[in-house]
Every structure is written in C-alpha cells, then in structure tokens.
Amino acid sequence: MDKLPTARILEQTGKNYVIEAEVYGDGIKMWLLSQGRWVKVLEPAGFAAEIKEELEQMLKNYG
C-alpha cells in the first residue's frame, strides 16, 4: 500500500487482499506487471483486458 497512497482494503482473506485505488497514467501498469503472479487486476474490465493483452504480448517473446 506504500506504492498506492489512495489504496484502501475492501476485503481480506488470509494473505489475499482486494484493494481499491485511484491511479493515473501508465506507471501503475508497469508496477503491477512487475509484481508478477502476486497480483490480479479485477476491475475496471478494460484495464484488466489491457494487462492481459500485455502479458500475452510478453509471452510471445518466449515462444
């Protein structure tokens, strides 16, 4: 949460958290991707699709 000052925890299950944060620009996409398998974007759907597309493009580098 130190990287996302507007973040607030909506739900916690064990070591899993659902957070909400107001963010701007592409920096958040780079930061989320740098967290690897430890994060999953749930909403908004358009941003989740952007992350998925980026991951698919990254996989092509190894195929």
Side-chain angles (χ1 to χ4, degrees), residues 29-42:
K29 186 189 307 183
M30 291 186 294
W31 183 78
L32 288 169
L33 289 168
S34 77
Q35 302 308 298
R37 63 186 173 127
W38 300 105
V39 299
K40 179 179 180 181
V41 174
L42 303 174

Side-chain angles (χ1 to χ4, degrees), residues 52-63:
K52 183 177 179 182
E53 175 64 25
E54 189 71 29
L55 291 167
E56 289 169 350
Q57 293 299 319
M58 289 170 66
L59 281 172
K60 289 179 181 179
N61 290 333
Y62 299 94

Side-chain angles (χ1 to χ4, degrees), residues 2-4 20 26 32 39-43 45 49 51 62:
D2 61 325
K3 300 291 184 191
L4 302 169
E20 176 181 77
D26 287 335
L32 288 169
V39 299
K40 179 179 180 181
V41 174
L42 303 174
E43 294 179 21
I51 294 290
Y62 299 94

